[in-house]
Amino acid sequence: MTTSSASAPAKIILIGEHAVVYNQPAIAVPVCDLRVKASITAMPADPSGQIRITSKQTDLNVYLSALEENHPFRKLIDTFCDKTGVKQLPAMHISLSSAIPQASGLGSGAAVSVAIIRALSCFLEIEPAPDLISEIAFDVEKIYHGTPSGIDNTVIAFEKAVYYLRNHPIEFLSLRHPLNLIIADTGVAAKTIEMVNQVKQAWLQNPEQLTEIFNTIGHLAAQSKEFLEKGNLDKLGTALTANHTLLQQTGVSTPLLDTLVETAIKAGACGAKLSGGGGGGNMIALAEEKYIESVKEALQNAGAAQVFTTRVLPG
Ligand code: PMV
């Protein structure tokens, strides 16, 4: 093929971030209406194997060979070739275009990886299974996140709601009802790797207390799986808010995240919490349809930099 393109969604962790790194279950859902697109064009006049990557949003315009060996894009292309058995790539231009805010807990790194893998596969007319796509993206996540749990690459590669427990077979969730989520971005970029390290320091200093918190979060995640399957959105909302309180105790929340959580609940949300690494990034609120607009407006007025709404559909 001379051109091909593919996309990948953002993701939201509904419940269980950070605790999932300590072998507790977590639930994540794809945000299918926020996507990154990768387009590939063959450049037959260029030397074989020469790959140029550009991105409108980040002003990126680089040749892969000029990047350091451990750069996520190099790692991605090398791992892709390694794991799919592709020996030599033709010259190409990969162009990225993303609607996903970066460093905000929406999984933009994993989404970029998955979009490129999908576009490359289409370009080369191969069909790697979603678990191989997820595995390749996981290797790149290690560069972004240090010790990733694997939840981001999994939910994004499969584009399905997942109940995720490290080193266990992936469980896909069948939701009883659609979920209306309002996502508010604080506009404060926070690196997941730094937040994961901060939690690790807290855990090293106070292992008993942090282990107790992680266990409680894991229990909430297990209960939430049932609430989702039975369609009990009120109880799910209460579990989300309880998870936020526990995340506050690990030190990853911020005054703005706390304000947005309180604001969403006052405006009618069933529950709300920070989502992802914390330290900034985004928070989510779960709301019945009739409250979506009031929650959205309240979050905008309370200082959110951007507010999105998404509906996660059963199946
Ligand atoms: O910041 P995000 O959305 O990439 O989420 C990271 C989730 C953590 O549990 C904090 C880390 C991980 O690897 O699971």
Side-chain angles (χ1 to χ4, degrees):
M1 260 186 214
T2 53
T3 59
S4 55
S5 60
S7 69
K11 71 93 204 8
I12 272 296
I13 297 185
L14 209 54
I15 194 156
E17 53 275 270
H18 287 292
V20 68
V21 176
Y22 297 79
N23 300 315
Q24 293 294 333
I27 296 174
V29 296
V31 181
C32 293
D33 30 21
L34 263 188
R35 305 186 76 87
V36 48
K37 182 176 168 198
S39 303
I40 300 186
T41 309
M43 304 299 276
D46 289 350
S48 173
Q50 178 166 281
I51 298 174
R52 185 161 75 101
I53 305 184
T54 57
S55 161
K56 287 182 200 142
Q57 281 72 31
T58 56
D59 272 341
L60 178 84
N61 186 351
V62 288
Y63 285 99
L64 199 69
S65 54
L67 298 174
E68 63 200 39
E69 213 157 290
N70 204 29
H71 188 282
F73 286 146
R74 268 190 87 157
K75 179 80 180 165
L76 175 64
I77 303 292
D78 288 350
T79 313
F80 173 86
C81 289
D82 222 37
K83 299 213 175 195
T84 56
V86 171
K87 297 273 179 289
Q88 174 72 34
L89 289 170
M92 64 180 81
H93 171 203
I94 303 176
S95 136
L96 298 168
S97 154
S98 178
I100 309 175
Q102 286 189 318
S104 69
L106 288 163
S108 77
V112 165
S113 297
V114 171
I116 293 178
I117 298 166
R118 285 178 176 167
L120 263 177
S121 306
C122 190
F123 185 73
L124 300 170
E125 298 181 359
I126 56 175
E127 278 185 36
D131 53 357
L132 181 59
I133 296 178
S134 176
E135 201 180 305
I136 298 168
F138 180 64
D139 272 1
V140 183
E141 286 294 282
K142 288 182 197 156
I143 300 175
Y144 288 123
H145 287 188
T147 52
S149 62
I151 192 167
D152 281 19
N153 47 288
T154 303
V155 66
I156 289 170
F158 285 91
E159 279 197 47
K160 286 182 182 160
V162 294
Y163 181 75
Y164 185 83
L165 184 53
R166 248 180 139 160
N167 303 321
H168 282 68
I170 307 158
E171 267 187 68
F172 297 110
L173 291 174
S174 50
L175 313 186
R176 179 82 181 261
H177 297 307
L179 292 184
N180 298 311
L181 293 175
I182 301 104
I183 305 166
D185 185 2
T186 57
V188 180
K191 288 203 167 136
T192 301
I193 189 166
E194 286 165 14
M195 301 315 295
V196 169
N197 284 339
Q198 185 183 310
V199 173
K200 188 170 178 189
Q201 289 312 314
W203 177 71
L204 288 171
Q205 276 166 24
N206 210 335
E208 270 174 33
Q209 192 202 346
L210 269 287
T211 301
E212 173 82 29
I213 292 173
F214 296 146
N215 289 345
T216 314
I217 293 176
H219 186 62
L220 285 172
Q223 283 182 321
S224 297
K225 174 176 183 268
E226 239 182 271
F227 300 150
L228 281 165
E229 286 168 347
K230 292 190 176 148
N232 197 332
L233 296 188
D234 279 338
K235 285 194 173 161
L236 178 64
T238 307
L240 298 190
T241 309
N243 188 181
H244 182 75
T245 307
L246 292 158
L247 285 166
Q248 281 176 318
Q249 292 167 23
T250 68
V252 297
S253 193
T254 66
L256 179 55
L257 283 166
D258 294 343
T259 302
L260 295 176
V261 166
E262 274 169 39
T263 302
I265 293 167
K266 276 195 199 131
C270 322
K273 63 182 275 290
L274 73 84
S275 178
N282 70 73
M283 57 74 68
I284 53 168
L286 175 72
E288 280 179 53
E289 195 144 4
K290 61 184 176 192
Y291 291 117
I292 296 175
E293 281 312 310
S294 57
V295 172
K296 191 176 169 188
E297 204 183 311
L299 289 169
Q300 275 159 344
N301 293 337
Q306 287 187 84
V307 183
F308 315 92
T309 55
T310 189
R311 199 169 158 83
V312 185
L313 298 172

